[in-house]
């Protein structure tokens, strides 16, 4: 057998394999390959960022989680109090680690807190069901900023839209995930708020290094928002707001600052 024949044989097997499968299978494998490559690159970027953190701190930058007694934070602005969640089941959903559920219409429901490891679980979810997802619907009090940035980037790379439904809550690092959507739709009654981030060692009593880490994360967040076409004033509001309060955006502000591309119609 000639050398050229040896070369053509594997090429022929690959061509026959592709021809024997529907287009959707080929697209699914292509999507999975793109997803793996994206996650590897994001992992390397995150590893570089984590090198800036002292060894005795949490290796993942956390955002502020809602206090245990309430699943929401008060507004820094008079007249924008945010949702008052009194239903125990709803409150528990917001405090629990994020869950993902694919429902009709290509919507992936993203409910709960963003914890270290949430990005990995989200990547696994869209690797399995990414071909059926059109929109990621958010209801979260936020949490790990690093995980939120990875999730947001995966959403953008996959071309998903994001949505925050009527009466839903998207706070702390959750708006970063929202910003990852190509189309970003918010209900008029959705509560979307930001505040400054803090690092784990700040809570442990070392505010100097905590401030350094928080500034590094803030720079990453600001850079990401600008890459998504969001007005950097969004993060200015975050940095001006104490960690135990939220700056809730009005629907007009969401559009003006380009955080949302559209406000959903009511009725």
């Amino acid at each position: 057998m000639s050398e050229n024949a040896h070369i053509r044989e594997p090429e022929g097997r690959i061509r026959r394999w592709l021809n024997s499968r529907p287009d959707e299978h080929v697209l699914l494998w292509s999507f999975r390959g793109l997803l793996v490559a994206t996650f590897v690159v994001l992992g390397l970027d995150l590893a570089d960022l984590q090198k800036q953190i002292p060894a005795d701190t949490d290796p993942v930058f956390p955002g502020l989680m809602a206090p245990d007694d309430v699943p929401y934070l008060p507004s820094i602005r008079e007249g924008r109090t945010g949702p008052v969640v009194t239903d125990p089941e709803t409150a528990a959903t917001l405090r629990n680690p994020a869950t993902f559920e694919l429902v009709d219409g290509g919507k992936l429901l993203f409910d709960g807190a963003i914890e270290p490891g949430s990005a990995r679980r989200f990547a696994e979810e869209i690797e399995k069901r990414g071909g059926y997802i059109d929109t990621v619907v958010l209801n979260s009090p936020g949490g790990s900023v690093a995980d939120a940035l990875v999730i947001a980037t995966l959403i953008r790379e996959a071309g998903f839209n994001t949505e925050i439904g009527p009466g839903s809550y998207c706070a702390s690092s959750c708006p970063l995930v929202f910003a990852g959507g190509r189309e970003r739709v918010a209900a008029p009654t959705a509560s979307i708020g930001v505040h400054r981030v803090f690092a784990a060692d700040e809570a442990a009593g070392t505010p100097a290094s905590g401030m350094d880490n928080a500034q590094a994360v803030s720079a990453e967040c600001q850079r990401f928002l600008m890459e998504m076409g969001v007005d950097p004033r969004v993060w200015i509001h975050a940095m001006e707001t104490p960690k135990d309060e939220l700056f809730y955006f009005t629907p007009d502000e969401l559009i003006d600052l380009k955080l949302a591309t559209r406000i959903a119609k009511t009725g």
Side-chain angles (χ1 to χ4, degrees), residues 191-223:
S191 292
I192 304 170
V194 294
H195 59 187
R196 68 176 64 119
V197 299
F198 74 98
D201 55 345
E202 179 182 339
T206 54
S209 56
M211 182 177 294
D212 285 345
N213 293 335
Q215 287 176 340
V217 177
S218 289
E220 287 295 314
C221 295
Q222 204 163 355
R223 182 181 296 110

PDB file of all heavy atoms in Angstrom, residues 191-223:
ATOM      1  N   SER A 191     -35.715  42.951  40.453  1.00  0.00           N
ATOM      2  CA  SER A 191     -34.824  43.725  41.319  1.00  0.00           C
ATOM      3  C   SER A 191     -33.385  43.356  40.980  1.00  0.00           C
ATOM      4  O   SER A 191     -32.949  42.230  41.207  1.00  0.00           O
ATOM      5  CB  SER A 191     -35.118  43.443  42.791  1.00  0.00           C
ATOM      6  OG  SER A 191     -36.385  43.966  43.138  1.00  0.00           O
ATOM      7  N   ILE A 192     -32.643  44.323  40.435  1.00  0.00           N
ATOM      8  CA  ILE A 192     -31.278  44.102  39.968  1.00  0.00           C
ATOM      9  C   ILE A 192     -30.380  45.109  40.671  1.00  0.00           C
ATOM     10  O   ILE A 192     -30.549  46.322  40.510  1.00  0.00           O
ATOM     11  CB  ILE A 192     -31.192  44.271  38.440  1.00  0.00           C
ATOM     12  CG1 ILE A 192     -32.199  43.335  37.757  1.00  0.00           C
ATOM     13  CG2 ILE A 192     -29.773  44.007  37.944  1.00  0.00           C
ATOM     14  CD1 ILE A 192     -32.367  43.591  36.274  1.00  0.00           C
ATOM     15  N   GLY A 193     -29.430  44.615  41.462  1.00  0.00           N
ATOM     16  CA  GLY A 193     -28.618  45.528  42.263  1.00  0.00           C
ATOM     17  C   GLY A 193     -27.177  45.089  42.388  1.00  0.00           C
ATOM     18  O   GLY A 193     -26.851  43.911  42.267  1.00  0.00           O
ATOM     19  N   VAL A 194     -26.310  46.070  42.651  1.00  0.00           N
ATOM     20  CA  VAL A 194     -24.874  45.810  42.796  1.00  0.00           C
ATOM     21  C   VAL A 194     -24.348  46.484  44.058  1.00  0.00           C
ATOM     22  O   VAL A 194     -24.953  47.415  44.587  1.00  0.00           O
ATOM     23  CB  VAL A 194     -24.077  46.326  41.572  1.00  0.00           C
ATOM     24  CG1 VAL A 194     -24.432  45.533  40.321  1.00  0.00           C
ATOM     25  CG2 VAL A 194     -24.322  47.815  41.341  1.00  0.00           C
ATOM     26  N   HIS A 195     -23.209  46.008  44.519  1.00  0.00           N
ATOM     27  CA  HIS A 195     -22.480  46.636  45.620  1.00  0.00           C
ATOM     28  C   HIS A 195     -21.007  46.270  45.477  1.00  0.00           C
ATOM     29  O   HIS A 195     -20.627  45.468  44.632  1.00  0.00           O
ATOM     30  CB  HIS A 195     -23.030  46.203  46.981  1.00  0.00           C
ATOM     31  CG  HIS A 195     -22.974  44.722  47.216  1.00  0.00           C
ATOM     32  ND1 HIS A 195     -23.533  44.125  48.310  1.00  0.00           N
ATOM     33  CD2 HIS A 195     -22.422  43.703  46.503  1.00  0.00           C
ATOM     34  CE1 HIS A 195     -23.343  42.823  48.279  1.00  0.00           C
ATOM     35  NE2 HIS A 195     -22.663  42.543  47.175  1.00  0.00           N
ATOM     36  N   ARG A 196     -20.177  46.874  46.317  1.00  0.00           N
ATOM     37  CA  ARG A 196     -18.750  46.595  46.209  1.00  0.00           C
ATOM     38  C   ARG A 196     -18.444  45.169  46.669  1.00  0.00           C
ATOM     39  O   ARG A 196     -19.156  44.611  47.501  1.00  0.00           O
ATOM     40  CB  ARG A 196     -17.944  47.604  47.023  1.00  0.00           C
ATOM     41  CG  ARG A 196     -18.112  47.511  48.531  1.00  0.00           C
ATOM     42  CD  ARG A 196     -17.191  48.510  49.240  1.00  0.00           C
ATOM     43  NE  ARG A 196     -17.554  49.872  48.904  1.00  0.00           N
ATOM     44  CZ  ARG A 196     -17.962  50.788  49.798  1.00  0.00           C
ATOM     45  NH1 ARG A 196     -18.027  50.461  51.082  1.00  0.00           N
ATOM     46  NH2 ARG A 196     -18.276  52.011  49.420  1.00  0.00           N
ATOM     47  N   VAL A 197     -17.402  44.615  46.109  1.00  0.00           N
ATOM     48  CA  VAL A 197     -16.994  43.257  46.477  1.00  0.00           C
ATOM     49  C   VAL A 197     -16.014  43.323  47.637  1.00  0.00           C
ATOM     50  O   VAL A 197     -15.416  44.362  47.905  1.00  0.00           O
ATOM     51  CB  VAL A 197     -16.342  42.527  45.290  1.00  0.00           C
ATOM     52  CG1 VAL A 197     -17.311  42.390  44.142  1.00  0.00           C
ATOM     53  CG2 VAL A 197     -15.065  43.240  44.841  1.00  0.00           C
ATOM     54  N   PHE A 198     -15.877  42.211  48.326  1.00  0.00           N
ATOM     55  CA  PHE A 198     -14.853  42.111  49.355  1.00  0.00           C
ATOM     56  C   PHE A 198     -14.282  40.712  49.306  1.00  0.00           C
ATOM     57  O   PHE A 198     -14.923  39.776  48.825  1.00  0.00           O
ATOM     58  CB  PHE A 198     -15.409  42.431  50.749  1.00  0.00           C
ATOM     59  CG  PHE A 198     -16.281  41.349  51.340  1.00  0.00           C
ATOM     60  CD1 PHE A 198     -15.759  40.441  52.243  1.00  0.00           C
ATOM     61  CD2 PHE A 198     -17.626  41.267  51.007  1.00  0.00           C
ATOM     62  CE1 PHE A 198     -16.555  39.448  52.793  1.00  0.00           C
ATOM     63  CE2 PHE A 198     -18.428  40.274  51.558  1.00  0.00           C
ATOM     64  CZ  PHE A 198     -17.892  39.367  52.454  1.00  0.00           C
ATOM     65  N   ALA A 199     -13.054  40.561  49.743  1.00  0.00           N
ATOM     66  CA  ALA A 199     -12.379  39.269  49.706  1.00  0.00           C
ATOM     67  C   ALA A 199     -12.495  38.579  51.052  1.00  0.00           C
ATOM     68  O   ALA A 199     -12.772  39.203  52.074  1.00  0.00           O
ATOM     69  CB  ALA A 199     -10.912  39.449  49.320  1.00  0.00           C
ATOM     70  N   ALA A 200     -12.267  37.275  51.035  1.00  0.00           N
ATOM     71  CA  ALA A 200     -12.460  36.474  52.243  1.00  0.00           C
ATOM     72  C   ALA A 200     -11.595  36.954  53.394  1.00  0.00           C
ATOM     73  O   ALA A 200     -12.018  36.947  54.544  1.00  0.00           O
ATOM     74  CB  ALA A 200     -12.153  35.004  51.939  1.00  0.00           C
ATOM     75  N   ASP A 201     -10.359  37.381  53.116  1.00  0.00           N
ATOM     76  CA  ASP A 201      -9.474  37.751  54.212  1.00  0.00           C
ATOM     77  C   ASP A 201      -9.874  39.068  54.851  1.00  0.00           C
ATOM     78  O   ASP A 201      -9.502  39.352  55.978  1.00  0.00           O
ATOM     79  CB  ASP A 201      -8.012  37.806  53.759  1.00  0.00           C
ATOM     80  CG  ASP A 201      -7.802  38.729  52.569  1.00  0.00           C
ATOM     81  OD1 ASP A 201      -8.790  39.096  51.925  1.00  0.00           O
ATOM     82  OD2 ASP A 201      -6.638  39.071  52.311  1.00  0.00           O
ATOM     83  N   GLU A 202     -10.697  39.864  54.153  1.00  0.00           N
ATOM     84  CA  GLU A 202     -11.223  41.081  54.779  1.00  0.00           C
ATOM     85  C   GLU A 202     -12.143  40.714  55.923  1.00  0.00           C
ATOM     86  O   GLU A 202     -12.104  41.304  57.000  1.00  0.00           O
ATOM     87  CB  GLU A 202     -11.979  41.915  53.739  1.00  0.00           C
ATOM     88  CG  GLU A 202     -12.574  43.192  54.310  1.00  0.00           C
ATOM     89  CD  GLU A 202     -13.353  43.967  53.249  1.00  0.00           C
ATOM     90  OE1 GLU A 202     -13.124  43.761  52.063  1.00  0.00           O
ATOM     91  OE2 GLU A 202     -14.204  44.784  53.664  1.00  0.00           O
ATOM     92  N   ALA A 203     -13.004  39.694  55.675  1.00  0.00           N
ATOM     93  CA  ALA A 203     -13.908  39.247  56.731  1.00  0.00           C
ATOM     94  C   ALA A 203     -13.135  38.637  57.892  1.00  0.00           C
ATOM     95  O   ALA A 203     -13.582  38.644  59.026  1.00  0.00           O
ATOM     96  CB  ALA A 203     -14.899  38.225  56.158  1.00  0.00           C
ATOM     97  N   ALA A 204     -11.948  38.101  57.609  1.00  0.00           N
ATOM     98  CA  ALA A 204     -11.155  37.455  58.659  1.00  0.00           C
ATOM     99  C   ALA A 204     -10.338  38.447  59.475  1.00  0.00           C
ATOM    100  O   ALA A 204      -9.628  38.065  60.388  1.00  0.00           O
ATOM    101  CB  ALA A 204     -10.224  36.422  58.029  1.00  0.00           C
ATOM    102  N   GLY A 205     -10.394  39.728  59.093  1.00  0.00           N
ATOM    103  CA  GLY A 205      -9.735  40.729  59.911  1.00  0.00           C
ATOM    104  C   GLY A 205      -8.460  41.288  59.343  1.00  0.00           C
ATOM    105  O   GLY A 205      -7.657  41.843  60.085  1.00  0.00           O
ATOM    106  N   THR A 206      -8.202  41.148  58.050  1.00  0.00           N
ATOM    107  CA  THR A 206      -7.026  41.746  57.416  1.00  0.00           C
ATOM    108  C   THR A 206      -7.492  42.648  56.278  1.00  0.00           C
ATOM    109  O   THR A 206      -7.411  42.275  55.105  1.00  0.00           O
ATOM    110  CB  THR A 206      -6.072  40.660  56.888  1.00  0.00           C
ATOM    111  OG1 THR A 206      -6.802  39.780  56.017  1.00  0.00           O
ATOM    112  CG2 THR A 206      -5.490  39.847  58.030  1.00  0.00           C
ATOM    113  N   PRO A 207      -8.015  43.818  56.587  1.00  0.00           N
ATOM    114  CA  PRO A 207      -8.632  44.677  55.587  1.00  0.00           C
ATOM    115  C   PRO A 207      -7.674  45.167  54.509  1.00  0.00           C
ATOM    116  O   PRO A 207      -8.097  45.423  53.389  1.00  0.00           O
ATOM    117  CB  PRO A 207      -9.176  45.842  56.411  1.00  0.00           C
ATOM    118  CG  PRO A 207      -8.402  45.829  57.689  1.00  0.00           C
ATOM    119  CD  PRO A 207      -8.085  44.394  57.941  1.00  0.00           C
ATOM    120  N   ALA A 208      -6.371  45.295  54.812  1.00  0.00           N
ATOM    121  CA  ALA A 208      -5.444  45.819  53.803  1.00  0.00           C
ATOM    122  C   ALA A 208      -5.333  44.873  52.613  1.00  0.00           C
ATOM    123  O   ALA A 208      -5.504  45.266  51.462  1.00  0.00           O
ATOM    124  CB  ALA A 208      -4.075  46.050  54.428  1.00  0.00           C
ATOM    125  N   SER A 209      -5.051  43.589  52.898  1.00  0.00           N
ATOM    126  CA  SER A 209      -4.948  42.632  51.804  1.00  0.00           C
ATOM    127  C   SER A 209      -6.310  42.377  51.185  1.00  0.00           C
ATOM    128  O   SER A 209      -6.421  42.118  49.986  1.00  0.00           O
ATOM    129  CB  SER A 209      -4.344  41.317  52.294  1.00  0.00           C
ATOM    130  OG  SER A 209      -5.098  40.786  53.371  1.00  0.00           O
ATOM    131  N   GLY A 210      -7.366  42.456  52.020  1.00  0.00           N
ATOM    132  CA  GLY A 210      -8.714  42.307  51.479  1.00  0.00           C
ATOM    133  C   GLY A 210      -9.025  43.396  50.470  1.00  0.00           C
ATOM    134  O   GLY A 210      -9.631  43.137  49.431  1.00  0.00           O
ATOM    135  N   MET A 211      -8.590  44.622  50.742  1.00  0.00           N
ATOM    136  CA  MET A 211      -8.815  45.724  49.814  1.00  0.00           C
ATOM    137  C   MET A 211      -8.043  45.510  48.517  1.00  0.00           C
ATOM    138  O   MET A 211      -8.564  45.763  47.420  1.00  0.00           O
ATOM    139  CB  MET A 211      -8.405  47.050  50.453  1.00  0.00           C
ATOM    140  CG  MET A 211      -8.653  48.269  49.562  1.00  0.00           C
ATOM    141  SD  MET A 211      -8.221  49.822  50.390  1.00  0.00           S
ATOM    142  CE  MET A 211      -9.462  49.841  51.698  1.00  0.00           C
ATOM    143  N   ASP A 212      -6.802  45.039  48.622  1.00  0.00           N
ATOM    144  CA  ASP A 212      -6.015  44.754  47.420  1.00  0.00           C
ATOM    145  C   ASP A 212      -6.722  43.746  46.529  1.00  0.00           C
ATOM    146  O   ASP A 212      -6.830  43.922  45.308  1.00  0.00           O
ATOM    147  CB  ASP A 212      -4.633  44.211  47.803  1.00  0.00           C
ATOM    148  CG  ASP A 212      -3.707  45.295  48.332  1.00  0.00           C
ATOM    149  OD1 ASP A 212      -4.022  46.486  48.134  1.00  0.00           O
ATOM    150  OD2 ASP A 212      -2.681  44.950  48.949  1.00  0.00           O
ATOM    151  N   ASN A 213      -7.196  42.661  47.135  1.00  0.00           N
ATOM    152  CA  ASN A 213      -7.872  41.623  46.371  1.00  0.00           C
ATOM    153  C   ASN A 213      -9.162  42.144  45.760  1.00  0.00           C
ATOM    154  O   ASN A 213      -9.489  41.850  44.601  1.00  0.00           O
ATOM    155  CB  ASN A 213      -8.167  40.414  47.257  1.00  0.00           C
ATOM    156  CG  ASN A 213      -6.905  39.713  47.706  1.00  0.00           C
ATOM    157  OD1 ASN A 213      -5.872  39.795  47.050  1.00  0.00           O
ATOM    158  ND2 ASN A 213      -6.971  39.034  48.835  1.00  0.00           N
ATOM    159  N   ALA A 214      -9.923  42.908  46.542  1.00  0.00           N
ATOM    160  CA  ALA A 214     -11.180  43.448  46.044  1.00  0.00           C
ATOM    161  C   ALA A 214     -10.946  44.398  44.871  1.00  0.00           C
ATOM    162  O   ALA A 214     -11.717  44.423  43.905  1.00  0.00           O
ATOM    163  CB  ALA A 214     -11.928  44.164  47.166  1.00  0.00           C
ATOM    164  N   GLN A 215      -9.874  45.183  44.924  1.00  0.00           N
ATOM    165  CA  GLN A 215      -9.569  46.089  43.821  1.00  0.00           C
ATOM    166  C   GLN A 215      -9.206  45.321  42.563  1.00  0.00           C
ATOM    167  O   GLN A 215      -9.590  45.708  41.451  1.00  0.00           O
ATOM    168  CB  GLN A 215      -8.428  47.035  44.226  1.00  0.00           C
ATOM    169  CG  GLN A 215      -8.849  48.104  45.221  1.00  0.00           C
ATOM    170  CD  GLN A 215      -7.678  48.956  45.686  1.00  0.00           C
ATOM    171  OE1 GLN A 215      -6.520  48.563  45.577  1.00  0.00           O
ATOM    172  NE2 GLN A 215      -7.975  50.128  46.205  1.00  0.00           N
ATOM    173  N   ALA A 216      -8.454  44.228  42.733  1.00  0.00           N
ATOM    174  CA  ALA A 216      -8.096  43.401  41.572  1.00  0.00           C
ATOM    175  C   ALA A 216      -9.345  42.808  40.929  1.00  0.00           C
ATOM    176  O   ALA A 216      -9.489  42.798  39.705  1.00  0.00           O
ATOM    177  CB  ALA A 216      -7.134  42.291  41.990  1.00  0.00           C
ATOM    178  N   VAL A 217     -10.258  42.329  41.763  1.00  0.00           N
ATOM    179  CA  VAL A 217     -11.497  41.758  41.241  1.00  0.00           C
ATOM    180  C   VAL A 217     -12.345  42.841  40.581  1.00  0.00           C
ATOM    181  O   VAL A 217     -12.929  42.630  39.513  1.00  0.00           O
ATOM    182  CB  VAL A 217     -12.293  41.083  42.371  1.00  0.00           C
ATOM    183  CG1 VAL A 217     -13.610  40.557  41.851  1.00  0.00           C
ATOM    184  CG2 VAL A 217     -11.499  39.943  42.950  1.00  0.00           C
ATOM    185  N   SER A 218     -12.429  44.004  41.201  1.00  0.00           N
ATOM    186  CA  SER A 218     -13.213  45.100  40.636  1.00  0.00           C
ATOM    187  C   SER A 218     -12.708  45.473  39.247  1.00  0.00           C
ATOM    188  O   SER A 218     -13.493  45.756  38.336  1.00  0.00           O
ATOM    189  CB  SER A 218     -13.170  46.328  41.551  1.00  0.00           C
ATOM    190  OG  SER A 218     -13.917  46.096  42.727  1.00  0.00           O
ATOM    191  N   ALA A 219     -11.386  45.460  39.071  1.00  0.00           N
ATOM    192  CA  ALA A 219     -10.821  45.769  37.752  1.00  0.00           C
ATOM    193  C   ALA A 219     -11.248  44.726  36.728  1.00  0.00           C
ATOM    194  O   ALA A 219     -11.603  45.066  35.590  1.00  0.00           O
ATOM    195  CB  ALA A 219      -9.299  45.840  37.839  1.00  0.00           C
ATOM    196  N   GLU A 220     -11.237  43.442  37.129  1.00  0.00           N
ATOM    197  CA  GLU A 220     -11.664  42.380  36.221  1.00  0.00           C
ATOM    198  C   GLU A 220     -13.135  42.544  35.856  1.00  0.00           C
ATOM    199  O   GLU A 220     -13.529  42.362  34.705  1.00  0.00           O
ATOM    200  CB  GLU A 220     -11.439  41.012  36.871  1.00  0.00           C
ATOM    201  CG  GLU A 220      -9.992  40.599  36.955  1.00  0.00           C
ATOM    202  CD  GLU A 220      -9.380  40.403  35.581  1.00  0.00           C
ATOM    203  OE1 GLU A 220     -10.014  39.763  34.723  1.00  0.00           O
ATOM    204  OE2 GLU A 220      -8.263  40.890  35.359  1.00  0.00           O
ATOM    205  N   CYS A 221     -13.965  42.879  36.842  1.00  0.00           N
ATOM    206  CA  CYS A 221     -15.396  43.059  36.601  1.00  0.00           C
ATOM    207  C   CYS A 221     -15.650  44.232  35.650  1.00  0.00           C
ATOM    208  O   CYS A 221     -16.453  44.134  34.721  1.00  0.00           O
ATOM    209  CB  CYS A 221     -16.130  43.294  37.922  1.00  0.00           C
ATOM    210  SG  CYS A 221     -16.105  41.884  39.051  1.00  0.00           S
ATOM    211  N   GLN A 222     -14.957  45.332  35.889  1.00  0.00           N
ATOM    212  CA  GLN A 222     -15.128  46.515  35.055  1.00  0.00           C
ATOM    213  C   GLN A 222     -14.691  46.226  33.621  1.00  0.00           C
ATOM    214  O   GLN A 222     -15.366  46.620  32.664  1.00  0.00           O
ATOM    215  CB  GLN A 222     -14.319  47.675  35.632  1.00  0.00           C
ATOM    216  CG  GLN A 222     -14.840  49.042  35.234  1.00  0.00           C
ATOM    217  CD  GLN A 222     -14.289  50.123  36.148  1.00  0.00           C
ATOM    218  OE1 GLN A 222     -13.603  49.851  37.124  1.00  0.00           O
ATOM    219  NE2 GLN A 222     -14.592  51.361  35.835  1.00  0.00           N
ATOM    220  N   ARG A 223     -13.572  45.526  33.467  1.00  0.00           N
ATOM    221  CA  ARG A 223     -13.085  45.181  32.130  1.00  0.00           C
ATOM    222  C   ARG A 223     -14.103  44.300  31.402  1.00  0.00           C
ATOM    223  O   ARG A 223     -14.401  44.505  30.221  1.00  0.00           O
ATOM    224  CB  ARG A 223     -11.742  44.467  32.225  1.00  0.00           C
ATOM    225  CG  ARG A 223     -11.139  44.117  30.862  1.00  0.00           C
ATOM    226  CD  ARG A 223      -9.813  43.395  31.006  1.00  0.00           C
ATOM    227  NE  ARG A 223      -8.808  44.234  31.641  1.00  0.00           N
ATOM    228  CZ  ARG A 223      -8.321  44.052  32.850  1.00  0.00           C
ATOM    229  NH1 ARG A 223      -8.763  43.041  33.583  1.00  0.00           N
ATOM    230  NH2 ARG A 223      -7.410  44.850  33.349  1.00  0.00           N
TER     231      ARG A 223
END
